[in-house]
Amino acid sequence: MKKILNKTLKTLFPLLLGAFILYIIYDDFDFSQIWQKLKEMDMFWFTMTTIFIILSHVIRGLRWKLALAPLDLHPTSSTSINSIFVAYAANLVIPRFGEVSRCVILEQYDRIPFAQSLGTLVTERLIDTLVVVLMTTVAVALQWNIFMEFINDVGIATPGNNIGAWIVIALSAIAIAVMLYIFLRKFSFWKKIRNFIARFSDGLLSLTKMKNGWLFILETLAIWFCYFMQFYLCFFYFPFTEHLSFLAGLLLFVAGSIAVVVPTPNGAGPWHFAVISIMTLYGVSETDAAVFAFIVHSTQTLIVAILGIYALIMLQFKKRINK
């Protein structure tokens, strides 16, 4: 009974948290405007962003193959790519569950040991974190005035009257703390530290063992370029955002990337808050910013879900062929 309750809470908590934050953000919003803007959306740019979403997943799947190669593990490209599609879709239901699901898929379909494939994710996360830190540093440095205005506007630097912002920030901080507590509770403190250091070192060393380490770095840059483009090109969906600059897109992108750390489905809630708050500083009305955030997040989430369903179907076909 206790296990069932824990699993239920782990599933419902992210959903309820995301829904509550969205309620705070869109409490007085007229949703009829979303349908109107959807009819005006430029479908060419929507198609382009969809291509970049798919491309980012494909490259991530191919990059994972490179990370597994030094361990003499060689999954097929199709299984590796489909596991990424499923992983991102799984994260929509249970945040961070996708990392486990992709390792399970490789073990089930290509007999890649679960523990070893899971260990390679350290390398991936390490490199991706460095890229995010670098992009954030560049974005903040080049858009310092807007960044500081955002910090002051939401009341982070100094106490303010923006109660909604404080609620979102407080809930996000609590959610991250709960996620860390659940994760760390499974291990003793020192055991967790030792495991982290060991995996961190192994992750670094695996890069040196790669015969095509340069390709790993190139694919990493390509992944994040695709991530950025799938967001930046959304500016051209609507007339009220097409004037936003490349640098504005970079700051909004890194803010959204950090916001998705909060354990809600695809960052729902915190992502909207970050994007709307910063977009209004670039002259976009709060209503238009809310429309943009809602449509972009909803459509891209739908695409990720469809890709996950497609991958599950393809994996079942592969299973039948193998039999």
Side-chain angles (χ1 to χ4, degrees), residues 137-152:
T137 302
V138 172
V140 170
L142 296 178
Q143 298 287 275
W144 178 255
N145 292 336
I146 294 293
F147 173 73
M148 289 308 300
E149 194 174 346
F150 165 71
I151 295 297
N152 291 319

Side-chain angles (χ1 to χ4, degrees), residues 33-301:
Q33 298 182 61
I34 292 178
W35 176 245
Q36 182 62 37
K37 296 298 183 182
L38 272 173
K39 292 189 292 184
E40 300 172 2
M41 190 170 72
D42 192 321
M43 296 308 296
F44 169 78
W45 293 111
F46 174 74
T47 303
M48 293 301 296
T49 57
T50 302
I51 291 173
F52 276 109
I53 291 173
I54 297 172
L55 193 58
S56 67
H57 286 47
V58 170
I59 298 174
R60 182 172 283 277
L62 296 176
R63 190 186 68 167
W64 197 19
K65 285 192 64 178
L66 282 178
L68 289 165
L71 302 176
D72 198 27
L73 301 173
H74 305 283
T76 62
S77 296
S78 61
T79 303
S80 183
I81 292 170
N82 283 325
S83 73
I84 301 298
F85 287 152
V86 173
Y88 275 79
N91 282 334
L92 299 180
V93 182
I94 306 177
R96 310 296 174 257
F97 180 69
E99 308 300 343
V100 177
S101 67
R102 57 193 274 198
C103 296
V104 171
I105 289 173
L106 254 63
E107 183 175 46
Q108 182 177 358
Y109 290 91
D110 285 357
R111 298 181 180 180
I112 303 297
F114 178 87
Q116 289 178 287
S117 62
L118 187 62
T120 61
L121 299 187
V122 176
T123 303
E124 286 198 351
R125 290 297 168 232
L126 171 63
I127 299 300
D128 287 337
T129 301
L130 291 175
V131 173
V132 172
V133 170
L134 178 61
M135 293 180 72
T136 302
T137 302
V138 172
V140 170
L142 296 178
Q143 298 287 275
W144 178 255
N145 292 336
I146 294 293
F147 173 73
M148 289 308 300
E149 194 174 346
F150 165 71
I151 295 297
N152 291 319
D153 186 57
V154 300
I156 297 175
T158 57
N161 296 320
N162 196 338
I163 303 301
W166 274 107
I167 293 174
V168 172
I169 293 169
L171 288 175
S172 299
I174 292 171
I176 293 173
V178 170
M179 180 180 67
L180 289 174
Y181 170 74
I182 293 173
F183 181 72
L184 293 175
R185 189 180 59 176
K186 297 179 181 179
F187 305 96
S188 66
F189 178 76
W190 290 110
K191 182 179 179 181
K192 176 58 189 170
I193 293 297
R194 290 198 302 269
N195 286 344
F196 175 79
I197 294 174
R199 289 192 174 188
F200 185 84
S201 301
D202 289 342
L204 285 175
L205 290 174
S206 65
L207 280 177
T208 63
K209 296 176 182 177
M210 287 184 189
K211 294 181 179 179
N212 297 313
W214 62 271
L215 184 57
F216 185 93
I217 300 299
L218 184 62
E219 288 180 341
T220 298
L221 295 176
I223 289 170
W224 284 95
F225 173 76
C226 289
Y227 284 164
F228 173 72
M229 293 303 293
Q230 74 188 46
F231 175 77
Y232 174 67
L233 293 181
C234 294
F235 288 170
F236 302 101
Y237 284 3
F238 313 106
F240 58 80
T241 51
E242 62 183 4
H243 70 281
L244 294 174
S245 67
F246 178 88
L247 291 178
L250 183 61
L251 183 60
L252 282 160
F253 172 72
V254 297
S257 298
I258 295 172
V260 298
V261 172
V262 181
T264 61
N266 204 23
W271 186 91
H272 295 73
F273 169 74
V275 169
I276 294 171
S277 299
I278 296 177
M279 191 168 278
T280 56
L281 300 179
Y282 284 103
V284 180
S285 71
E286 187 173 348
T287 298
D288 286 342
V291 168
F292 175 88
F294 190 92
I295 291 178
V296 169
H297 188 274
S298 299
T299 54
Q300 295 196 356
T301 298

